[in-house]
Amino acid sequence: MKKYIGISIVIVIMLVLGIIIVNIINQEEPVTIYEENNNQEKESIESKPSEEELLKKEIEEKIANMTLREKIGQMLIISTNNTEYNEELDTLLKEVKPSGIVLFANNITTYDNTTKLISNIKNNVTIPMLIGIDQEGGRVQRIKDMQDVNVLTIPYMLELGKTKDKELAYNVGRVVAKEIA
């Protein structure tokens, strides 16, 4: 019972924060800059929105046009058992509209097959998704399962942490990032 109360409180806090942020965003007014011209007169020039402001506006419009079901879907990150993009995965992505998908060992066969799966996922969703892979090191090295790719063996993160070597940890992170990019 306490678990459900805790989860409910977290959800309520997230919703309240979301409402507060939306209200703050909607209260912003355009910035006016005054500039002197040759006649020493001041004229008002509306500043052009930055790329970030344009993106923010686009995101706000997209969210405003989402149904409640789509907004809930955006709170989910899913996984699948598929190694190829098929009708089942297409239906799942179009019905749930998740914010992301995580690939596990059962999704990975070859480099070409995996990149094709990722490309098809990206090309068949209306809202860009986060695409992750379960690649932690130790026994959890999913890209080692690719039959046509050679990758370094990454140590268990616990063992890496025990070394207390920040530079080593950083370099291992770079290797993992480079290999999954």
Side-chain angles (χ1 to χ4, degrees), residues 7-43:
I7 291 172
S8 298
I9 290 171
V10 169
I11 291 172
V12 169
I13 290 171
M14 288 173 52
L15 289 172
V16 169
L17 287 174
I19 291 168
I20 290 170
I21 290 170
V22 168
N23 284 332
I24 290 171
I25 290 169
N26 290 334
Q27 290 175 1
E28 290 181 8
E29 296 179 17
V31 176
T32 303
I33 300 172
Y34 290 97
E35 179 178 280
E36 290 188 35
N37 64 16
N38 291 340
N39 300 327
Q40 299 299 321
E41 295 176 13
K42 291 184 178 182
E43 56 185 59

Side-chain angles (χ1 to χ4, degrees), residues 80 85 89 93 101 103 116-125 129 131:
T80 179
Y85 193 89
L89 181 55
L93 294 176
I101 187 166
L103 301 179
K116 185 177 177 183
L117 173 63
I118 292 168
S119 179
N120 284 330
I121 290 169
K122 287 180 175 181
N123 294 332
N124 286 287
V125 295
M129 292 177 59
I131 300 176

Side-chain angles (χ1 to χ4, degrees), residues 142-153:
R142 305 307 180 202
I143 59 174
K144 275 190 94 91
D145 297 336
M146 286 188 203
Q147 301 155 0
D148 56 347
V149 175
N150 292 323
V151 296
L152 294 175
T153 300

